[in-house]
């Protein structure tokens, strides 16, 4: 089959064929932590600003697979304007909260080492779960990578996404090229990016639903209850009703006519529907049984859950009482806000959103700021040098392999 044959040609002996299947890709995704865009699950995803903005479309054409329009979409004037406004607002907010920030600094200076070690261990486990998703998908495609190699690759992509303007686009393009050159082939590499993004977005949605259920009507739950009760819940009920009605032939014909009419009127809706159907179709071709797909979904959910646990462990290390009821929802809302990608690494957005939501959950402002800063140090700043070190190592390895192949 196309991608299996391509994988064997790209790296004989690096992978083996598991199933006769072929994956094609209709839109791009960011397989980067913190860079997750649930609204574009069929085309992109990652997390803490790795996990899961402006992302390249990966399209299959007669000429091959790669970033749409022949390259990576660069940030335009609107992105730079939004970034400047967000950073200016963050500076103003920091100046107005000088006293609380000074108190937060003193709290962080007295952090307890055992709690800090636990938080770092949880973050490392989160990264392993994050890397396990594309590794599982590669294995389904017949290509075997070690966990060490995949973790190094995802951490490098994470660092790129967090340090560069529109970094999710650059990291997705780099990941596609790197996976293609290291045995996966273009088609399989693009399919892995798409499906990883969908799994990451689904995991974040599950965590958000759990956070809403746990938070109840108080704290951050009061902020989202109107949306969940008046919009999301009715939409879910309507979707379930339509799913039940689709079992009847007459209803299927009616729904098909409505869908085609909507697609003619709104081309983007038609394109999104086509992309989603293509991803589902190719995923079924690669692994027709539904139960094995619980593995990547479980890994994606654990990625987010363990990252949230690292936030809680950081609070424990600071001697702060953890607001358990509002923690998951505060974390999930922060990640959803980060999916806008208005600044590199979500600088200013993640800090302001998480600290404000923790205050709404009941923490004093100084404690909320300290917990947010320590979490960002562990999950973002500490990973930047590690990620760029991995990137340099992978680049040198590629260069050495290219010289050896001449």
């Amino acid at each position: 089959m196309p991608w299996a044959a391509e994988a064997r040609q790209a790296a004989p002996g690096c992978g083996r064929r598991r199933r006769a299947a072929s994956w094609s890709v209709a839109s791009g995704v960011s397989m980067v932590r913190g860079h997750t865009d649930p609204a574009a699950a069929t085309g992109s995803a990652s997390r803490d600003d790795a996990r899961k903005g402006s992302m390249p479309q990966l399209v299959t054409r007669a000429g091959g697979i790669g970033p749409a329009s022949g390259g990576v979409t660069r940030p335009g004037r609107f992105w730079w304007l939004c970034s400047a406004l967000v950073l200016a607002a963050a500076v103003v907010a920091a100046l107005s909260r000088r006293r609380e920030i000074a108190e937060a600094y003193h709290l962080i200076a007295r952090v307890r080492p055992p709690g800090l070690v636990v938080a770092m261990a949880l973050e490392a486990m989160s990264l392993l779960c994050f890397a396990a998703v594309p590794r599982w998908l590669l294995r389904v495609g017949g290509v075997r990578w070690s966990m060490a190699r995949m973790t190094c690759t995802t951490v490098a992509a994470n660092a790129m996404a967090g340090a560069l303007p529109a970094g999710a686009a650059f990291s997705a393009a780099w990941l596609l090229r790197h996976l293609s050159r290291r045995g996966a082939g273009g088609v399989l590499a693009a399919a892995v990016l798409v499906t990883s993004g969908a799994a990451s977005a689904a995991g974040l949605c599950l965590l958000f639903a759990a956070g809403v259920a746990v938070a109840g009507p108080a704290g951050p739950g009061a902020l989202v209850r109107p949306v969940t009760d008046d919009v999301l819940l009715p939409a879910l009920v309507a979707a379930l009703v339509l799913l039940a009605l689709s079992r009847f032939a007459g209803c299927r014909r009616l729904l098909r006519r409505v869908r085609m009419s909507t697609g003619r009127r709104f081309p983007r809706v038609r394109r999104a529907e086509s992309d989603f159907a293509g991803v589902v179709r190719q995923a079924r071709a690669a692994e027709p049984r539904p139960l094995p797909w619980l593995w990547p979904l479980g890994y994606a959910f654990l990625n987010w859950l363990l990252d949230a646990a690292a936030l809680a462990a950081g609070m424990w290390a600071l001697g702060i009482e953890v607001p358990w009821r509002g923690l998951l929802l505060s974390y999930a809302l922060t990640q959803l806000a980060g999916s806008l990608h208005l600044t590199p690494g979500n600088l200013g957005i993640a800090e302001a959103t998480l600290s404000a939501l923790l205050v709404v959950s009941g923490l004093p402002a100084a404690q909320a700021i300290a917990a947010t800063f320590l979490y960002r140090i562990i999950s973002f700043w500490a990973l930047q040098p590690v990620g760029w070190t991995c990137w340099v190592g992978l680049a040198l390895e590629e260069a050495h392999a290219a010289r050896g192949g001449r």
Side-chain angles (χ1 to χ4, degrees), residues 13-401:
C14 290
R16 66 180 182 83
R17 182 176 176 180
R18 271 191 67 168
R19 274 185 176 66
S22 91
W23 286 12
S24 66
V25 181
S27 61
V29 327
S30 170
M31 192 184 70
V32 184
R33 276 184 48 172
H35 289 280
T36 298
D37 186 356
T42 60
S44 68
S46 144
R47 187 185 81 151
D48 183 85
D49 193 22
R51 264 171 218 278
K52 37 208 280 211
S54 88
M55 301 181 184
Q57 280 199 323
L58 307 175
V59 292
T60 50
R61 297 187 181 131
I65 297 179
S69 306
V72 175
T73 303
R74 286 174 169 76
R77 292 180 179 178
F78 179 74
W79 187 92
W80 287 108
L81 177 61
C82 290
S83 297
L85 291 175
V86 169
L87 291 176
V91 170
V92 171
L95 291 175
S96 65
R97 293 285 183 175
R98 292 190 300 273
R99 185 169 59 84
E100 288 86 351
I101 291 176
E103 293 178 17
Y105 170 78
H106 292 300
L107 279 172
I108 294 175
R110 298 194 300 270
V111 65
R112 294 182 292 191
L116 184 60
V117 170
V118 171
M120 294 172 66
L122 289 168
E123 189 65 28
M125 293 167 62
S126 173
L127 284 169
L128 290 175
C129 290
F130 180 65
V133 177
R135 181 173 179 264
W136 186 91
L137 294 168
L138 283 175
R139 190 176 63 179
V140 168
V143 177
R144 291 189 176 275
W145 275 30
S146 67
M147 179 57 76
R149 171 176 288 278
M150 182 55 73
T151 303
C152 184
T153 301
T154 52
V155 171
N158 215 43
M160 186 182 301
L164 302 176
F170 287 100
S171 66
W174 176 79
L175 272 170
L176 178 68
R177 185 177 68 251
H178 182 72
L179 292 174
S180 301
R181 291 178 176 177
R182 303 306 297 176
V187 176
L188 176 60
V192 167
L193 293 182
V194 172
T195 314
S196 296
S200 183
L204 182 57
C205 288
L206 285 175
L207 193 71
F208 173 78
V212 170
V214 172
L223 302 176
V224 300
R225 279 290 174 177
V227 177
T228 56
D229 294 348
D230 300 336
V231 179
L232 298 181
L233 190 57
L236 178 60
V237 172
L240 293 175
V241 170
L242 290 176
L243 182 63
L245 292 176
S246 66
R247 297 172 60 88
F248 303 99
C251 292
R252 284 199 300 271
R253 286 194 296 269
L254 178 61
L255 290 173
R256 191 179 301 114
R257 283 197 295 268
V258 172
R259 191 174 68 245
M260 292 176 63
S261 175
T262 305
R264 283 193 297 268
R265 187 172 296 183
F266 304 102
R268 289 187 178 183
V269 174
R270 182 178 67 249
R271 193 157 52 244
E273 179 192 0
S274 176
D275 293 349
F276 179 74
V279 170
V280 173
R281 183 170 58 253
Q282 304 303 341
R284 285 179 176 175
E287 176 54 81
R289 297 172 301 168
L291 284 181
W293 288 99
L294 292 178
W295 284 105
L297 288 175
Y299 288 138
F301 178 74
L302 283 175
N303 163 46
W304 298 105
L305 185 62
L306 289 169
D307 192 51
L311 170 61
M315 293 182 188
W316 174 60
L318 293 170
I320 298 172
E321 184 178 354
V322 180
W324 293 109
R325 287 182 66 86
L327 180 70
L328 283 182
L329 185 55
S330 299
Y331 172 83
L333 289 173
T334 301
Q335 298 301 333
L336 290 173
S339 67
L340 297 174
H341 306 305
L342 295 178
T343 59
N346 284 332
L347 293 177
I349 297 176
E351 289 81 2
T353 305
L354 183 56
S355 57
L357 288 170
L358 289 177
V359 169
V360 173
S361 299
L363 288 185
Q367 293 184 0
I369 293 171
T372 299
F373 282 179
L374 183 60
Y375 164 73
R376 289 286 283 171
I377 290 169
I378 294 171
S379 65
F380 178 72
W381 292 108
L383 295 180
Q384 282 293 306
V386 176
W388 283 108
T389 301
C390 290
W391 185 87
V392 170
L394 293 171
L396 292 175
E397 183 185 55
E398 277 195 14
H400 179 73

